[in-house]
Amino acid sequence: MDQQKFEQLKSRYGSVLNAIQQQQVRLENLHEDGGKLIVRGVAPSQEVKNRIWDQIKLVNPNADDITADLSV
């Protein structure tokens, strides 16, 4: 894992990570792999999952440097 890249991605997606915390998404995994931020977690509802995705798209509409695997 590239710690510097991980910190850059966490900083870039800080608003997403804050939303995850605020929306009570149970975060199971957060790491960097191949230049991508990998986020795995369980959302309390489909609505919350959609809100997290909306936030990801605000940061990066292409979502090409993040993989968010959220289940409900």
Side-chain angles (χ1 to χ4, degrees):
M1 181 169 87
D2 182 339
Q3 192 63 36
Q4 186 176 0
K5 182 67 176 173
F6 182 51
E7 293 303 325
Q8 286 172 345
L9 287 166
K10 281 198 323 191
S11 176
R12 178 172 186 184
Y13 286 99
S15 61
V16 174
L17 298 175
N18 287 340
I20 284 172
Q21 192 174 26
Q22 289 165 357
Q23 302 289 329
Q24 270 110 46
V25 174
R26 191 174 78 233
L27 198 57
E28 296 178 334
N29 198 309
L30 179 67
H31 66 280
E32 179 269 339
D33 185 27
K36 285 183 135 185
L37 187 64
I38 310 298
V39 181
R40 286 195 186 90
V42 180
S45 70
Q46 185 64 42
E47 183 184 347
V48 167
K49 180 179 173 178
N50 293 343
R51 276 193 225 132
I52 300 303
W53 269 107
D54 289 344
Q55 190 61 50
I56 288 169
K57 290 174 196 161
L58 283 175
V59 174
N60 179 4
N62 297 326
D64 55 3
D65 60 356
I66 186 168
T67 298
D69 179 9
L70 299 173
S71 56
V72 176

